[in-house]
Amino acid sequence: MSNIITIAGGGSGHTPGIVLTLLKNQEFFPIKEIRLYDIDQERNHDMEIIIDFLLKKNGSDISLLATLEPKEAFTGIDFVFSQIRVGGIEMRELDEKIPLNCGAVGQETCGLGGFSYGMRSMKGFLELVSDIQEYAPDAWILNYTNPETIIAESVRRKFPNAKIINACDMTISIEELIADSFGYDRKNWISEYYGLNHFGWYKNIYDRTVDKDIMPEIIEKIIQQGFKTDGLENNWVTTYKIMEYMVKKFPTHIPNNYLQYYLYPNIVLEHSDQNYTRANEIMDGRLKEIKETVYQMQNANDITEVQYESDSHGQYIVDMAVSIQNNLNKRFMLIVPNRGAIPNLREDAVVEVPCYVNSKGVEPISLREDIPDFHKGLMEAQVASEKLLVDAFFENSYQKAFESFTLNQTVPNADVARKVLDEFIEANGDYWVELN
Ligand code: G6P
Ligand code: MN
């Protein structure tokens, strides 16, 4: 079977990494056509130029289509890889800056910035799922649109039967960081992890080569030696420094780095500049590079002379597609309804746990053990605040949005929650549903 895949949010700078990864996996996941779907014509067209170039350079005969029309994007396809960012980088900048200006953490997926993005994202993503259901009801949606727990919760409520798998690369990045820092090969590992998306902990890391849980020795190494972060962007170096600090203070588990925003907002704020956030770094870095690449590719006399390096961001999503198509039952950390996977957490939470992926979809693996009260307490508050946000969205409820913002653990008090909420309502305009 040769697949047609659509990349929703095709104009994203992550598209080339996905396509190059797909090209490497043709033996297990053959493709006859790639479609780039976006609502931003200019960015989608830029990516069309880059992808067309990469396909030619690799001697591929996969056909390419770039479109702004859902019907054209989804009719007759097998898979959608979704990486849409509703409101683009311009709105990300406001998600980060508005809370910062009120003294709270300003972040893309966590805290109130994540909630602002969540409100936009639910609206855009549910429209996307609706289009896919109309034109390609049998297609698999492999989703990594953020903020993922909120997206997963909203899709579950509106389209309970959608063929969707929600995945995040952060746990893979953490494992790669650990493996690179201390000389391990993560292919030998079977990890147990639990949490919500961007809000979880490793329970253990079993290493087949030594037949034991090596998490205690990894924790010791993180504390004694720290991570190797040479070559990483400043923002990630700071993130992993704070992660080391979290491991020192709570040395029983390895946390997801995103917990820094909830456990140490004070440290995060010390490192934040309200006039220049991560969104600005990306505008000045990644987005400028795309424009330069397009220029080079359009003006190249000799195609072999243009070098193009890309990240491996797409690897896990392609691995998932391969596991579905070939019924491999490979193990991935995925974002799924709890239903007992974490036994002592409310069963209607959306959690991130190890799962098997096969041609029928996702089979979550139960932890079979209760999680500690400390983690459970943090997660219960987070689940409730995210659920209130999704309620606010479906019920057009200002009060529930206010409660949701207040309950978020990055927020110092209810007055700050309300101020930020009011500013976000103003800034987001029609990107949000109306709240009364
Ligand atoms: C990780 C997370 C993603 C997040 C990204 C942000 O990959 O898992 O959910 O979007 O980091 O990276 P950026 O370079 O855009 O700040
Ligand atoms: Mn993520």
Short mmCIF file of all heavy atoms in Angstrom, two decimals, residues 332-379:
data_model
loop_
_atom_site.label_atom_id
_atom_site.label_comp_id
_atom_site.label_asym_id
_atom_site.label_seq_id
_atom_site.Cartn_x
_atom_site.Cartn_y
_atom_site.Cartn_z
N PHE A 332 5.34 3.68 22.70
CA PHE A 332 5.51 5.13 22.66
C PHE A 332 4.84 5.75 23.88
O PHE A 332 3.86 5.20 24.38
CB PHE A 332 4.80 5.73 21.42
CG PHE A 332 5.35 5.26 20.10
CD1 PHE A 332 4.87 4.09 19.52
CD2 PHE A 332 6.33 5.97 19.45
CE1 PHE A 332 5.36 3.65 18.30
CE2 PHE A 332 6.83 5.54 18.23
CZ PHE A 332 6.35 4.38 17.66
N MET A 333 5.34 6.89 24.33
CA MET A 333 4.60 7.66 25.35
C MET A 333 3.52 8.44 24.61
O MET A 333 3.84 9.24 23.72
CB MET A 333 5.50 8.68 26.05
CG MET A 333 6.72 8.14 26.71
SD MET A 333 6.36 6.92 27.97
CE MET A 333 8.06 6.49 28.37
N LEU A 334 2.26 8.22 24.98
CA LEU A 334 1.18 8.90 24.26
C LEU A 334 0.17 9.50 25.23
O LEU A 334 0.12 9.15 26.41
CB LEU A 334 0.48 7.92 23.32
CG LEU A 334 1.37 7.35 22.20
CD1 LEU A 334 0.64 6.26 21.45
CD2 LEU A 334 1.82 8.45 21.26
N ILE A 335 -0.64 10.39 24.66
CA ILE A 335 -1.58 11.16 25.46
C ILE A 335 -2.96 10.56 25.25
O ILE A 335 -3.51 10.65 24.14
CB ILE A 335 -1.47 12.64 25.03
CG1 ILE A 335 -0.04 13.12 25.33
CG2 ILE A 335 -2.51 13.50 25.73
CD1 ILE A 335 0.51 14.10 24.36
N VAL A 336 -3.48 9.90 26.29
CA VAL A 336 -4.69 9.08 26.14
C VAL A 336 -5.62 9.27 27.35
O VAL A 336 -5.15 9.67 28.42
CB VAL A 336 -4.32 7.57 26.07
CG1 VAL A 336 -3.60 7.24 24.77
CG2 VAL A 336 -3.48 7.15 27.27
N PRO A 337 -6.91 8.93 27.19
CA PRO A 337 -7.78 8.94 28.37
C PRO A 337 -7.26 7.96 29.41
O PRO A 337 -6.84 6.86 29.07
CB PRO A 337 -9.12 8.47 27.81
CG PRO A 337 -9.05 8.75 26.34
CD PRO A 337 -7.61 8.58 25.96
N ASN A 338 -7.29 8.37 30.69
CA ASN A 338 -6.67 7.54 31.73
C ASN A 338 -7.33 6.17 31.86
O ASN A 338 -6.68 5.14 31.69
CB ASN A 338 -6.74 8.30 33.07
CG ASN A 338 -6.02 7.55 34.18
OD1 ASN A 338 -5.14 6.72 33.92
ND2 ASN A 338 -6.40 7.81 35.42
N ARG A 339 -8.61 6.16 32.15
CA ARG A 339 -9.35 4.89 32.31
C ARG A 339 -8.55 3.82 33.05
O ARG A 339 -8.40 2.68 32.57
CB ARG A 339 -9.76 4.33 30.94
CG ARG A 339 -10.69 5.26 30.18
CD ARG A 339 -11.39 4.54 29.05
NE ARG A 339 -12.14 5.49 28.25
CZ ARG A 339 -11.87 5.78 26.98
NH1 ARG A 339 -10.89 5.18 26.34
NH2 ARG A 339 -12.60 6.66 26.32
N GLY A 340 -7.96 4.21 34.17
CA GLY A 340 -7.28 3.23 35.02
C GLY A 340 -5.80 3.02 34.74
O GLY A 340 -5.14 2.30 35.48
N ALA A 341 -5.25 3.64 33.71
CA ALA A 341 -3.81 3.45 33.44
C ALA A 341 -3.00 3.93 34.63
O ALA A 341 -2.04 3.28 35.05
CB ALA A 341 -3.41 4.20 32.17
N ILE A 342 -3.38 5.07 35.21
CA ILE A 342 -2.81 5.51 36.50
C ILE A 342 -3.92 5.25 37.52
O ILE A 342 -4.89 6.01 37.61
CB ILE A 342 -2.44 7.01 36.47
CG1 ILE A 342 -1.44 7.28 35.33
CG2 ILE A 342 -1.86 7.44 37.82
CD1 ILE A 342 -1.09 8.75 35.14
N PRO A 343 -3.81 4.15 38.31
CA PRO A 343 -4.97 3.66 39.05
C PRO A 343 -5.58 4.67 40.03
O PRO A 343 -6.79 4.72 40.18
CB PRO A 343 -4.44 2.43 39.80
CG PRO A 343 -3.21 2.03 39.06
CD PRO A 343 -2.65 3.26 38.43
N ASN A 344 -4.73 5.48 40.71
CA ASN A 344 -5.32 6.37 41.71
C ASN A 344 -5.56 7.79 41.21
O ASN A 344 -5.71 8.71 41.99
CB ASN A 344 -4.48 6.40 42.99
CG ASN A 344 -3.03 6.83 42.74
OD1 ASN A 344 -2.52 6.71 41.63
ND2 ASN A 344 -2.37 7.32 43.78
N LEU A 345 -5.62 7.97 39.90
CA LEU A 345 -5.95 9.29 39.33
C LEU A 345 -7.33 9.20 38.68
O LEU A 345 -7.68 8.15 38.13
CB LEU A 345 -4.92 9.69 38.27
CG LEU A 345 -5.06 11.13 37.77
CD1 LEU A 345 -4.49 12.11 38.80
CD2 LEU A 345 -4.33 11.31 36.44
N ARG A 346 -8.10 10.31 38.73
CA ARG A 346 -9.46 10.26 38.18
C ARG A 346 -9.43 9.67 36.76
O ARG A 346 -8.57 10.00 35.95
CB ARG A 346 -10.14 11.62 38.21
CG ARG A 346 -9.37 12.73 37.54
CD ARG A 346 -9.96 14.09 37.86
NE ARG A 346 -11.10 14.39 37.00
CZ ARG A 346 -11.73 15.57 37.02
NH1 ARG A 346 -11.34 16.53 37.85
NH2 ARG A 346 -12.76 15.79 36.22
N GLU A 347 -10.42 8.80 36.53
CA GLU A 347 -10.34 8.02 35.30
C GLU A 347 -10.64 8.83 34.05
O GLU A 347 -10.25 8.47 32.95
CB GLU A 347 -11.20 6.75 35.38
CG GLU A 347 -12.68 6.98 35.59
CD GLU A 347 -13.43 7.07 34.28
OE1 GLU A 347 -13.03 6.35 33.35
OE2 GLU A 347 -14.38 7.87 34.18
N ASP A 348 -11.26 10.02 34.23
CA ASP A 348 -11.57 10.83 33.06
C ASP A 348 -10.47 11.86 32.75
O ASP A 348 -10.67 12.76 31.94
CB ASP A 348 -12.93 11.53 33.21
CG ASP A 348 -12.93 12.55 34.35
OD1 ASP A 348 -12.03 12.50 35.21
OD2 ASP A 348 -13.85 13.40 34.38
N ALA A 349 -9.32 11.73 33.41
CA ALA A 349 -8.20 12.61 33.07
C ALA A 349 -7.60 12.16 31.73
O ALA A 349 -7.74 11.00 31.34
CB ALA A 349 -7.13 12.54 34.15
N VAL A 350 -6.94 13.10 31.04
CA VAL A 350 -6.17 12.72 29.86
C VAL A 350 -4.70 12.69 30.29
O VAL A 350 -4.17 13.68 30.77
CB VAL A 350 -6.37 13.72 28.70
CG1 VAL A 350 -5.39 13.44 27.59
CG2 VAL A 350 -7.80 13.62 28.17
N VAL A 351 -4.08 11.52 30.17
CA VAL A 351 -2.74 11.33 30.75
C VAL A 351 -1.71 10.99 29.67
O VAL A 351 -2.08 10.67 28.54
CB VAL A 351 -2.77 10.19 31.81
CG1 VAL A 351 -3.69 10.56 32.96
CG2 VAL A 351 -3.21 8.86 31.17
N GLU A 352 -0.45 11.06 30.07
CA GLU A 352 0.62 10.63 29.16
C GLU A 352 1.31 9.42 29.78
O GLU A 352 1.91 9.53 30.86
CB GLU A 352 1.62 11.77 28.92
CG GLU A 352 2.67 11.44 27.86
CD GLU A 352 3.44 12.69 27.38
OE1 GLU A 352 2.92 13.81 27.49
OE2 GLU A 352 4.56 12.50 26.91
N VAL A 353 1.19 8.29 29.13
CA VAL A 353 1.74 7.03 29.64
C VAL A 353 2.27 6.19 28.47
O VAL A 353 1.94 6.46 27.32
CB VAL A 353 0.64 6.20 30.39
CG1 VAL A 353 0.25 6.84 31.71
CG2 VAL A 353 -0.58 5.99 29.51
N PRO A 354 3.07 5.16 28.76
CA PRO A 354 3.51 4.29 27.66
C PRO A 354 2.32 3.54 27.05
O PRO A 354 1.40 3.16 27.78
CB PRO A 354 4.46 3.29 28.35
CG PRO A 354 4.71 3.80 29.71
CD PRO A 354 3.60 4.74 30.06
N CYS A 355 2.37 3.35 25.75
CA CYS A 355 1.28 2.66 25.03
C CYS A 355 1.90 1.82 23.92
O CYS A 355 2.98 2.15 23.42
CB CYS A 355 0.37 3.67 24.33
SG CYS A 355 -0.42 4.86 25.39
N TYR A 356 1.20 0.79 23.50
CA TYR A 356 1.57 0.08 22.29
C TYR A 356 0.77 0.64 21.12
O TYR A 356 -0.41 0.97 21.27
CB TYR A 356 1.29 -1.41 22.43
CG TYR A 356 2.16 -2.09 23.46
CD1 TYR A 356 1.61 -2.66 24.61
CD2 TYR A 356 3.55 -2.13 23.31
CE1 TYR A 356 2.42 -3.25 25.56
CE2 TYR A 356 4.36 -2.72 24.25
CZ TYR A 356 3.79 -3.28 25.39
OH TYR A 356 4.59 -3.85 26.33
N VAL A 357 1.43 0.75 19.97
CA VAL A 357 0.74 1.25 18.77
C VAL A 357 0.74 0.17 17.70
O VAL A 357 1.80 -0.39 17.37
CB VAL A 357 1.44 2.52 18.24
CG1 VAL A 357 0.83 2.95 16.92
CG2 VAL A 357 1.34 3.65 19.25
N ASN A 358 -0.46 -0.14 17.22
CA ASN A 358 -0.57 -1.15 16.16
C ASN A 358 -1.66 -0.74 15.17
O ASN A 358 -2.16 0.38 15.26
CB ASN A 358 -0.86 -2.53 16.77
CG ASN A 358 -2.10 -2.51 17.66
OD1 ASN A 358 -3.09 -1.86 17.34
ND2 ASN A 358 -2.04 -3.18 18.79
N SER A 359 -2.03 -1.64 14.28
CA SER A 359 -2.96 -1.21 13.22
C SER A 359 -4.36 -0.89 13.76
O SER A 359 -5.15 -0.25 13.08
CB SER A 359 -3.03 -2.27 12.13
OG SER A 359 -3.38 -3.50 12.71
N LYS A 360 -4.65 -1.32 14.98
CA LYS A 360 -5.96 -0.97 15.56
C LYS A 360 -5.89 0.36 16.31
O LYS A 360 -6.89 0.91 16.72
CB LYS A 360 -6.41 -2.08 16.52
CG LYS A 360 -6.78 -3.38 15.80
CD LYS A 360 -7.66 -4.28 16.65
CE LYS A 360 -7.01 -4.79 17.91
NZ LYS A 360 -5.88 -5.69 17.76
N GLY A 361 -4.68 0.85 16.54
CA GLY A 361 -4.54 2.12 17.25
C GLY A 361 -3.65 1.99 18.47
O GLY A 361 -2.60 1.36 18.41
N VAL A 362 -4.15 2.52 19.60
CA VAL A 362 -3.31 2.67 20.79
C VAL A 362 -3.81 1.79 21.93
O VAL A 362 -4.99 1.79 22.24
CB VAL A 362 -3.37 4.15 21.26
CG1 VAL A 362 -2.68 4.32 22.59
CG2 VAL A 362 -2.75 5.05 20.21
N GLU A 363 -2.88 1.07 22.55
CA GLU A 363 -3.24 0.31 23.75
C GLU A 363 -2.40 0.80 24.92
O GLU A 363 -1.21 0.49 25.01
CB GLU A 363 -2.97 -1.19 23.54
CG GLU A 363 -3.93 -1.82 22.57
CD GLU A 363 -3.62 -3.31 22.34
OE1 GLU A 363 -3.01 -3.95 23.23
OE2 GLU A 363 -3.97 -3.80 21.26
N PRO A 364 -2.99 1.59 25.82
CA PRO A 364 -2.23 2.11 26.96
C PRO A 364 -1.80 0.98 27.90
O PRO A 364 -2.48 -0.03 28.02
CB PRO A 364 -3.23 3.03 27.68
CG PRO A 364 -4.33 3.27 26.71
CD PRO A 364 -4.38 2.09 25.80
N ILE A 365 -0.66 1.18 28.54
CA ILE A 365 -0.14 0.18 29.48
C ILE A 365 -0.41 0.68 30.90
O ILE A 365 -0.02 1.79 31.25
CB ILE A 365 1.38 -0.01 29.27
CG1 ILE A 365 1.64 -0.45 27.82
CG2 ILE A 365 1.95 -1.00 30.27
CD1 ILE A 365 3.11 -0.40 27.42
N SER A 366 -1.07 -0.13 31.70
CA SER A 366 -1.39 0.30 33.07
C SER A 366 -0.12 0.33 33.92
O SER A 366 0.75 -0.53 33.79
CB SER A 366 -2.40 -0.66 33.69
OG SER A 366 -2.45 -0.44 35.07
N LEU A 367 -0.03 1.30 34.82
CA LEU A 367 1.11 1.36 35.75
C LEU A 367 1.01 0.24 36.80
O LEU A 367 1.98 -0.11 37.43
CB LEU A 367 1.10 2.68 36.52
CG LEU A 367 1.58 3.93 35.83
CD1 LEU A 367 1.49 5.10 36.81
CD2 LEU A 367 3.01 3.78 35.37
N ARG A 368 -0.18 -0.22 37.04
CA ARG A 368 -0.48 -1.28 38.00
C ARG A 368 -0.18 -0.89 39.44
O ARG A 368 -0.27 -1.70 40.35
CB ARG A 368 0.26 -2.60 37.66
CG ARG A 368 0.03 -3.09 36.25
CD ARG A 368 0.91 -4.26 35.89
NE ARG A 368 2.31 -3.95 36.01
CZ ARG A 368 3.01 -3.30 35.08
NH1 ARG A 368 2.42 -2.90 33.96
NH2 ARG A 368 4.28 -3.05 35.27
N GLU A 369 0.21 0.35 39.67
CA GLU A 369 0.59 0.80 41.01
C GLU A 369 0.14 2.24 41.18
O GLU A 369 0.17 2.99 40.21
CB GLU A 369 2.11 0.83 41.11
CG GLU A 369 2.74 -0.18 42.01
CD GLU A 369 4.26 0.00 42.00
OE1 GLU A 369 4.71 1.09 42.38
OE2 GLU A 369 4.95 -0.94 41.57
N ASP A 370 -0.21 2.62 42.38
CA ASP A 370 -0.58 4.02 42.62
C ASP A 370 0.64 4.92 42.51
O ASP A 370 1.76 4.49 42.77
CB ASP A 370 -1.19 4.17 44.02
CG ASP A 370 -2.60 3.59 44.08
OD1 ASP A 370 -3.13 3.24 43.01
OD2 ASP A 370 -3.13 3.48 45.20
N ILE A 371 0.39 6.16 42.13
CA ILE A 371 1.49 7.13 42.09
C ILE A 371 1.54 7.87 43.44
O ILE A 371 0.55 7.91 44.16
CB ILE A 371 1.33 8.12 40.92
CG1 ILE A 371 0.00 8.89 41.01
CG2 ILE A 371 1.42 7.39 39.59
CD1 ILE A 371 -0.11 10.05 40.02
N PRO A 372 2.70 8.47 43.77
CA PRO A 372 2.81 9.15 45.06
C PRO A 372 1.86 10.35 45.18
O PRO A 372 1.54 10.98 44.17
CB PRO A 372 4.27 9.65 45.08
CG PRO A 372 4.96 9.00 43.95
CD PRO A 372 3.93 8.52 42.97
N ASP A 373 1.46 10.67 46.40
CA ASP A 373 0.53 11.77 46.64
C ASP A 373 1.04 13.10 46.12
O ASP A 373 0.26 13.93 45.66
CB ASP A 373 0.25 11.91 48.15
CG ASP A 373 -0.94 11.05 48.54
OD1 ASP A 373 -1.78 10.77 47.67
OD2 ASP A 373 -1.04 10.68 49.73
N PHE A 374 2.34 13.31 46.20
CA PHE A 374 2.89 14.59 45.73
C PHE A 374 2.57 14.79 44.25
O PHE A 374 2.06 15.83 43.83
CB PHE A 374 4.41 14.61 45.98
CG PHE A 374 5.10 15.84 45.46
CD1 PHE A 374 4.60 17.11 45.72
CD2 PHE A 374 6.25 15.73 44.68
CE1 PHE A 374 5.24 18.25 45.22
CE2 PHE A 374 6.89 16.86 44.18
CZ PHE A 374 6.38 18.12 44.45
N HIS A 375 2.84 13.78 43.46
CA HIS A 375 2.58 13.89 42.02
C HIS A 375 1.08 13.92 41.74
O HIS A 375 0.60 14.67 40.89
CB HIS A 375 3.22 12.72 41.28
CG HIS A 375 4.72 12.68 41.41
ND1 HIS A 375 5.48 11.62 41.02
CD2 HIS A 375 5.59 13.60 41.91
CE1 HIS A 375 6.76 11.88 41.26
NE2 HIS A 375 6.84 13.06 41.81
N LYS A 376 0.37 13.09 42.49
CA LYS A 376 -1.08 13.02 42.28
C LYS A 376 -1.72 14.37 42.58
O LYS A 376 -2.56 14.85 41.81
CB LYS A 376 -1.66 11.94 43.19
CG LYS A 376 -3.15 11.79 43.09
CD LYS A 376 -3.62 10.57 43.89
CE LYS A 376 -5.10 10.39 43.77
NZ LYS A 376 -5.85 10.98 44.87
N GLY A 377 -1.30 15.00 43.69
CA GLY A 377 -1.88 16.29 44.06
C GLY A 377 -1.62 17.34 42.99
O GLY A 377 -2.52 18.09 42.59
N LEU A 378 -0.38 17.40 42.53
CA LEU A 378 -0.06 18.37 41.47
C LEU A 378 -0.90 18.11 40.21
O LEU A 378 -1.43 19.03 39.58
CB LEU A 378 1.43 18.29 41.11
CG LEU A 378 2.42 18.86 42.13
CD1 LEU A 378 3.83 18.34 41.86
CD2 LEU A 378 2.41 20.38 42.11
N MET A 379 -1.01 16.83 39.87
CA MET A 379 -1.73 16.49 38.64
C MET A 379 -3.23 16.75 38.76
O MET A 379 -3.87 17.21 37.82
CB MET A 379 -1.50 15.01 38.28
CG MET A 379 -0.17 14.78 37.59
SD MET A 379 0.29 13.04 37.58
CE MET A 379 -0.87 12.36 36.44
#
